[in-house]
Amino acid sequence: MAARDTWQRGQRCGWPLARAKLPILRWLPHYSLAWLQSDLMAGLTVGLTVVPQALAYAEVAGLPLQYGLYSSFMGCFVYCFLGTAKDVTLGPTAIMSLLVSSYAFHQPVYAILLTFLSGSIQLAMGLLHLGFLLDFISCPVIKGFTSAASITISFNQVKNILGLQGIPRQFFLQVYETLRRIGETRAGDTVLGLACLAALAGLRVMKSHLPRAACVEPLAARVSHLIVWTSATGFANILGSFVSSYPITGSFGRTAVNAQSGVCTPAGGLITGTLVLLSLAYLTSLFYYIPKAALAAVIISAMVPMFDAGIFRRLWRVKRLDLVPLCVTFLLCFWEVQYGIVAGVLVSGILLLYSIARPAVKVSEGDVLLVQPGSSLHFPAIECLRDTVCSYALTAASPPRSIILDCCHISSIDYTVVVGLRELLQELHKHGLSLAFCSLQEPVLQVLLSADLEGFQHFSSREEAELCRGAEAGARGEAPSTSSSESLLLPEGLTQ
Amino acid sequence: MAARDTWQRGQRCGWPLARAKLPILRWLPHYSLAWLQSDLMAGLTVGLTVVPQALAYAEVAGLPLQYGLYSSFMGCFVYCFLGTAKDVTLGPTAIMSLLVSSYAFHQPVYAILLTFLSGSIQLAMGLLHLGFLLDFISCPVIKGFTSAASITISFNQVKNILGLQGIPRQFFLQVYETLRRIGETRAGDTVLGLACLAALAGLRVMKSHLPRAACVEPLAARVSHLIVWTSATGFANILGSFVSSYPITGSFGRTAVNAQSGVCTPAGGLITGTLVLLSLAYLTSLFYYIPKAALAAVIISAMVPMFDAGIFRRLWRVKRLDLVPLCVTFLLCFWEVQYGIVAGVLVSGILLLYSIARPAVKVSEGDVLLVQPGSSLHFPAIECLRDTVCSYALTAASPPRSIILDCCHISSIDYTVVVGLRELLQELHKHGLSLAFCSLQEPVLQVLLSADLEGFQHFSSREEAELCRGAEAGARGEAPSTSSSESLLLPEGLTQ
């Protein structure tokens, strides 16, 4: 038999432990010359992208420019050993730089402490298997904060393009001050900045004629998970703190560049890291001469494509409720990015908890009341299910003779649900009604049997339960009804 | 047709709005003389119980004794108008008194402020429909904290039985100090306390010969919901703060007394409230002479039955995982009751979130890979489902030709799940595999269709999907397999 049935909870089974823990073992034994060639090309391309970006992001973080490069090489080396996706690159990013700027107060020493602490927390989360908590950052929240960050980070650079000094950090004050002092614009900065922007836009247009479209979107989503990721990133940040790095994460843009350059394994990171080290060794003396307007152009042209205007329309079409966390995150991120993310996670968490506490329950009224919870029954839902059953069974104009609870969608139950069901059985019994369970999955049946509920009856299928209820009613001398599909045809008066 | 099918999310529909908002309208129009007689008896019985208990609980809260009575009448009057269950009584309780003692610092003014603030919060929660949040306090958490509270509150009174002064409030220090100073015991207090305890135990034994057993447990669970309840309790607390009440809740013990006394409507509360007011008017001058040892006996004999030793055994038998929140709550409650409850809610919340983030997924390997999530797919689960499908589809020794996702248990999906499924479709397509959906419920199908997924195929049933997959494989000139049940019989070598 080639087939096996397995119930599992998301563990990859059958993969050797060593390969799972040290992913370099998955590709190093098969490494070939052709791969080396591709990795070399991709590594160089990413390296040439990361050097100017790292300088620009150090500016966003409010740190001396060389700290961008300090932050750029350790991630490449660490990910080469521990990375699972060939094209993901770790390094400084615009959003992380924005977050760092809130806590570093222009002091590299705070940024480095932040790197060590965040790395330790990430590593601890990884070791304690708390990574699943990150799955609670939903797509609308990620879209909301990246879109808002692309606006705030881009606008933050407008002052550098205009050559204005002493603009406050807070977004709304920044907009007000920038507009108020627009008369003080320095022509030289503006011309240089706009020229750089035009050049980068031109390059982008040229690049867009190359085939690439499809791969970027799923990559973006995958990398977004890295933003607060665990063990890989945790190691990189702890080690990074020893080489004066500020916190790093997976980078959207450079991962896409990496993928388009045809990288074959994470070894491409070694080339990128080496290139960063070389530029640190030979180019730092030149950093003083880099004009802020040029860096601003680099940042703006990297951030503008991250604004996803279409997400509002897509959510309206697909799932309107998800617009709530999106809008909360998007709007609050203009105040502070971290508050926006936290509020978005809370809102989507509350919506999630509400849908768990108030699951859809299908009720078919008739001679036999058929109640079918639409999804699994977790403890917060039992009170609501009891209320629903009681309100239909005890207060209806034509009370049913018996109730069938169809449990086909329930895959597990807990003690609170068991207690609630016991109380429901007692309450219905007090009013002379019986409750039968049907279509119980094996684990649920085991729990209910072990709880030894008084008056617990179960049937393998809904049809069997209806047949049996009908026969019982018949035996008690009531109007015969062998199945609910028949009883449905009786006029209301007859069933009362 | 006598039947109708309804999908609902826990709203009681069909009940007139006025009756829902002002529950007194549900029973007042039908009020009869027979009911009045029963309510009078029950109201008197509960009143005679509440007066000594209220004095004793004021002692637990660390307030002058009359504040127990101040707290006892407003709840009765308010619940008469707004109460939905005939037997529930609001008033001071041992656990609430313990909580009040942490924040009132023996100052009635703080206790009254606490009443007003907690009433306002409860009312706001009621008006904002946040009551569903209370469903997240699971049964093991409630059992854990009531059991721990029965021990701490009882032991807290041992010092009064022994006549010891100046014992600290914290439980562990209290045990240490009480044992250390046991030599200072005052014989008079101890004899009086033990005599009262024996008398109350005797009354309890006599009462246990009367029929009552079954009703108490479900009542206890129902009342436990009142402990942090919303609109009814909220009103009572806000109004109570104007008559120097400290915070009140539903009382386990007196609700049971009320039910056993045969109460018919919440009107019984009017009698109880009047009795409390009368004793306030004529008996307060006598409070000075009530010995603390006698009050201690009242408290101990009310609290001891709340300890549920059997819950540990029951949970071990029914659902062992629920022992974790029980034990966390039980143990931490000895430190501070409120920390225990918060920790228990967090632990049971994390267990709940984990089961949502990692739902059981049934995988049947074979020629066609069949994947069936065991319950609804919420956004935290999609990453794990994708990993599961990919690890089976892309890394298996004998890769399947196509994949079927059986969605019969999925009742709703959100945008994050849609994005995850789109990425899964793309990733499988990249590896030359196709993914078909089957048994989609109508709302889920609508969402998926509106998302316009590339390569989205769906079939009404699993059999149809398997048939179609088999036919496609045949058309491509592969080994024919019209259904997976046949392909399951092929030896492993043939399918590779």
Side-chain angles (χ1 to χ4, degrees), chain A residues 12-32:
Chain A
R12 290 159 207 233
C13 40
W15 291 40
L17 191 69
R19 288 174 71 198
K21 296 287 171 191
L22 201 63
I24 192 176
L25 297 179
R26 298 183 203 167
W27 52 266
L28 197 61
H30 318 291
Y31 206 78
S32 69

Side-chain angles (χ1 to χ4, degrees), chain A residues 77-97:
Chain A
F77 295 142
V78 170
Y79 198 76
C80 175
F81 288 89
L82 299 178
T84 47
K86 63 181 171 55
D87 36 26
V88 166
T89 62
L90 298 185
T93 60
I95 290 174
M96 185 54 93
S97 303

Side-chain angles (χ1 to χ4, degrees), chain A residues 460-484:
Chain A
S460 61
S461 72
R462 187 197 292 189
E463 290 71 27
E464 198 186 319
E466 283 171 341
L467 208 68
C468 188
R469 297 289 91 178
E472 271 180 27
R476 288 202 306 270
E478 294 168 12
S481 66
T482 47
S483 86
S484 96

Side-chain angles (χ1 to χ4, degrees), chain A residues 1-13 15 129-133 135-140 143 214 217-219 221-222 225 311 314-315 317-319 322 345 348-350 352-366 372-376 378-381 383-384 386-388 391-392 395 398 408-416 418-419 422-423 426-427 430 441 446-448 450-452 487-492 495, chain B residues 1-13 15 129-133 135-140 143 214 217-219 221-222 225 311 314-315 317-319 322 345 348-350 352-366 372-376 378-381 383-384 386-388 391-392 395 398 408-416 418-419 422-423 426-427 430 441 446-448 450-452 487-492 495:
Chain A
M1 295 276 284
R4 54 192 162 100
D5 266 27
T6 1
W7 278 96
Q8 70 152 32
R9 285 194 179 266
Q11 279 125 1
R12 290 159 207 233
C13 40
W15 291 40
H129 293 281
L130 292 178
F132 82 92
L133 290 178
D135 291 338
F136 287 86
I137 305 177
S138 67
C139 190
K143 284 286 179 187
E217 172 125 28
L219 276 177
R222 201 184 326 154
H225 262 267
I311 184 71
R314 282 204 301 282
L315 282 187
R317 210 180 59 219
V318 176
K319 188 86 181 181
D322 279 346
V345 169
S348 53
I350 288 176
L352 175 66
L353 291 180
Y354 189 81
S355 75
I356 291 161
R358 298 288 178 268
V361 175
K362 190 178 182 183
V363 181
S364 306
E365 282 185 280
Q372 187 193 57
S375 61
S376 239
H378 301 283
F379 68 83
E383 198 69 17
C384 151
R386 261 175 57 192
D387 278 359
T388 306
S391 76
Y392 275 96
T395 64
S398 58
C408 67
H409 295 311
I410 301 177
S411 61
S412 76
I413 57 173
D414 51 50
Y415 183 72
T416 312
V418 172
V419 170
R422 187 201 299 149
E423 290 169 16
Q426 285 171 349
E427 184 145 355
K430 218 167 64 187
Q441 295 181 21
Q446 286 310 322
V447 170
L448 287 174
S450 70
D452 214 7
S487 76
L488 295 186
L489 298 170
L490 292 172
E492 199 152 11
T495 61
Chain B
M1 296 273 285
R4 54 193 160 98
D5 265 28
T6 1
W7 276 97
Q8 71 153 31
R9 286 195 177 267
Q11 279 123 0
R12 292 158 206 235
C13 40
W15 289 41
H129 293 281
L130 292 179
F132 81 94
L133 289 177
D135 291 336
F136 287 86
I137 305 177
S138 67
C139 189
K143 284 285 179 187
E217 171 126 28
L219 276 178
R222 199 182 330 150
H225 262 269
I311 184 69
R314 282 204 301 281
L315 281 188
R317 209 180 60 218
V318 176
K319 187 87 181 181
D322 278 346
V345 169
S348 53
I350 287 176
L352 174 67
L353 291 181
Y354 189 81
S355 76
I356 292 161
R358 300 286 177 268
V361 176
K362 191 177 181 183
V363 179
S364 306
E365 282 184 280
Q372 187 193 57
S375 62
S376 239
H378 301 284
F379 68 82
E383 198 68 17
C384 151
R386 261 175 57 193
D387 277 0
T388 306
S391 76
Y392 275 97
T395 65
S398 58
C408 66
H409 295 311
I410 302 179
S411 62
S412 76
I413 57 172
D414 51 50
Y415 183 72
T416 312
V418 172
V419 170
R422 187 202 298 150
E423 289 169 16
Q426 286 171 349
E427 184 146 356
K430 219 168 62 187
Q441 295 181 20
Q446 286 310 321
V447 170
L448 287 175
S450 70
D452 214 5
S487 76
L488 295 187
L489 298 170
L490 292 172
E492 198 152 8
T495 61

Side-chain angles (χ1 to χ4, degrees), chain B residues 402 434 457 459 466-478 481:
Chain B
S402 62
S434 74
Q457 282 182 295
F459 300 92
E466 283 171 341
L467 209 68
C468 188
R469 297 287 90 178
E472 271 179 28
R476 286 203 306 271
E478 293 168 13
S481 67

Side-chain angles (χ1 to χ4, degrees), chain B residues 54 81 101 173 344 347 356 396 403 419:
Chain B
F81 288 88
S101 76
L173 291 177
V347 168
I356 292 161
I403 297 128
V419 170

Side-chain angles (χ1 to χ4, degrees), chain A residues 217-277:
Chain A
E217 172 125 28
L219 276 177
R222 201 184 326 154
V223 175
S224 67
H225 262 267
L226 274 172
I227 284 173
V228 272
W229 220 27
T230 46
S231 306
T233 328
F235 260 122
N237 272 328
I238 290 181
L239 293 178
S241 68
F242 297 118
V243 294
S244 299
S245 162
Y246 70 84
I248 60 169
T249 62
S251 151
F252 288 75
R254 291 195 299 281
T255 297
V257 169
N258 207 6
Q260 288 162 45
S261 313
V263 74
C264 290
T265 68
L270 290 182
I271 315 297
T272 307
T274 311
L275 205 71
V276 172
L277 282 177

Side-chain angles (χ1 to χ4, degrees), chain B residues 97-176:
Chain B
S97 304
L98 182 71
L99 289 172
V100 168
S101 76
S102 316
Y103 297 108
F105 316 110
H106 302 281
Q107 299 290 330
V109 65
Y110 287 125
I112 295 164
L113 178 63
L114 194 63
T115 311
F116 183 76
L117 292 179
S118 55
S120 307
I121 292 171
Q122 287 167 325
L123 194 62
M125 282 184 71
L127 295 177
L128 294 173
H129 293 281
L130 292 179
F132 81 94
L133 289 177
L134 304 178
D135 291 336
F136 287 86
I137 305 177
S138 67
C139 189
V141 172
I142 293 173
K143 284 285 179 187
F145 99 85
T146 50
S147 294
S150 86
I151 294 177
T152 52
I153 295 175
S154 301
F155 194 85
N156 188 29
Q157 298 303 319
V158 168
K159 64 172 192 283
N160 291 334
I161 300 252
L162 299 178
L164 300 177
Q165 304 272 336
I167 299 285
R169 211 184 68 79
Q170 213 282 325
F171 179 72
F172 298 108
L173 291 177
Q174 205 169 67
V175 173
Y176 173 76

